[in-house]
Amino acid sequence: MPEPPPPAQPSPPQNPHEAVAPTGSGGAADLAMTEAETLEGGGRTAAGNVHNKPRSLWSDAWRELRRNPVFIISAALILFLVVISLWPQLIVSTNPLHCELAKSQAGREPGHPFGFDTQGCDVYARTVYGARASVTVGICATLGVALLGSLVGGLAGFFGGWADALLSRAADIFFGIPVILGGLVFLSVVTSSTVWPVVGFIVLLGWPQIARIARGAVITAKQHDYVQAARALGASNGRMLLRHVAPNAVAPVIVVATIALGTYIALEATLSFLGVGLRPPTVSWGIDISNAAAQIRNAPHMLLWPAGALSLTVLAFIMLGDAVRDALDPKLR
């Protein structure tokens, strides 16, 4: 008599988690199975989307800046100014120091779209070449102010105590010096016609503003938990300041320095207008505005173009600073 066939074995489940809970095992097993499936699906998602990492403050700021038309317009204008400052011969072929008295205060003519000044110099060439001095003063002064102010303010805010009191009182002394009066006194004894005396004067009187901003940002940053944890792990003061505090306190300094750059360009033009800033033969918007002020009724074009270029440059840097401030401040988004 043949043996009866063995009972059919159930086919293995397609999902290995189906074998965990038998039929009718209850809510606890179903919950465990659901959680396992969720974890497995999340693992697959994380493995397939490794690039979806939390963005930093700087990546978020750059993403906001790229969408801001104010930033795009101001950055394009500033890039154009930097390019013509480095290579003015790209858009002008006339020597700004070549003058013809026979064309004094003459209007526009072919090849000279802005006319001529009192000495017969090409206003267009002088306007283009004048960007070099203004942009150089603005960028160099801003870098010097940012470095000196950040160093003094960062040390004062991080160490506190007598160091904070000493450095803060030193900043208050320089804050009390009027900028224009100080420029008239300090630069009147300088005989150099280069941009460096003006840059040094701006750095000398401009660093206290950045120092106050940096001091407040460092005091706020050093109270965070990650700084206290680094201190508890035995990190040195230099390591905490450079690796943990400074990167998280630099954003306000960048915003203020960007806005101040346009202010420094306007300050250089003001000092040059008063005769104590840049001096001939240096080509400067402030010098041209000073020379054109007395002839504004007879030849307004002498004043219009350099003053317009100065105003547009200052406006571009202020707009850039506002856009950077909005991007770096999460509260303004």
Side-chain angles (χ1 to χ4, degrees), residues 25-277:
S25 57
D30 293 340
L31 181 60
M33 181 178 65
T34 304
E35 183 178 358
E37 293 175 351
T38 303
L39 291 175
E40 182 182 5
R44 288 195 302 266
T45 303
N49 300 280
V50 178
H51 62 279
N52 292 332
K53 298 180 180 179
R55 296 190 301 267
S56 64
L57 172 65
W58 301 107
S59 61
D60 280 342
W62 175 241
R63 185 180 182 185
E64 293 293 330
L65 287 174
R66 288 183 298 175
R67 299 178 179 180
N68 192 344
V70 175
F71 170 78
I72 296 175
I73 295 173
S74 60
L77 182 57
I78 291 172
L79 179 62
F80 173 74
L81 290 171
V82 172
V83 170
I84 67 172
S85 299
L86 296 175
W87 302 285
Q89 62 273 12
L90 293 177
I91 60 174
V92 62
S93 58
T94 306
N95 187 348
L97 300 179
H98 176 72
C99 306
E100 299 180 19
L101 286 176
K103 297 181 179 180
S104 176
Q105 300 184 12
R108 65 174 63 185
E109 62 180 46
H112 307 279
F114 293 174
F116 299 87
D117 63 6
T118 305
Q119 300 297 325
C121 303
D122 186 9
V123 176
Y124 174 67
R126 293 188 64 86
T127 301
V128 173
Y129 275 84
R132 173 178 294 179
S134 297
V135 172
T136 302
V137 169
I139 293 178
C140 294
T142 301
L143 291 176
V145 166
L147 292 176
L148 181 59
S150 299
L151 178 62
V152 175
L155 294 177
F158 184 79
F159 291 103
W162 65 268
D164 185 13
L166 178 63
L167 296 176
S168 297
R169 298 297 77 77
D172 292 340
I173 293 174
F174 285 95
F175 251 126
I177 301 176
V179 177
I180 302 299
L181 180 59
L184 291 173
V185 174
F186 178 80
L187 296 175
S188 61
V189 299
V190 178
T191 59
S192 175
S193 60
T194 62
V195 300
W196 303 116
V198 180
V199 170
F201 168 74
I202 295 176
V203 173
L204 182 64
L205 295 188
W207 68 268
Q209 179 186 15
I210 300 295
R212 285 191 172 184
I213 300 297
R215 175 181 176 275
V218 168
I219 290 177
T220 302
K222 76 175 185 179
Q223 297 175 355
H224 292 164
D225 294 339
Y226 55 85
V227 178
Q228 302 300 327
R231 188 187 302 274
L233 292 174
S236 62
N237 290 331
R239 181 178 178 84
M240 286 189 296
L241 184 60
L242 296 177
R243 295 290 301 274
H244 302 288
V245 176
N248 295 280
V250 72
V253 175
I254 293 177
V255 173
V256 175
T258 306
I259 297 176
L261 199 155
T263 306
Y264 298 152
I265 293 177
L267 178 59
E268 176 273 319
T270 303
L271 295 174
S272 299
F273 178 86
L274 296 175
V276 296

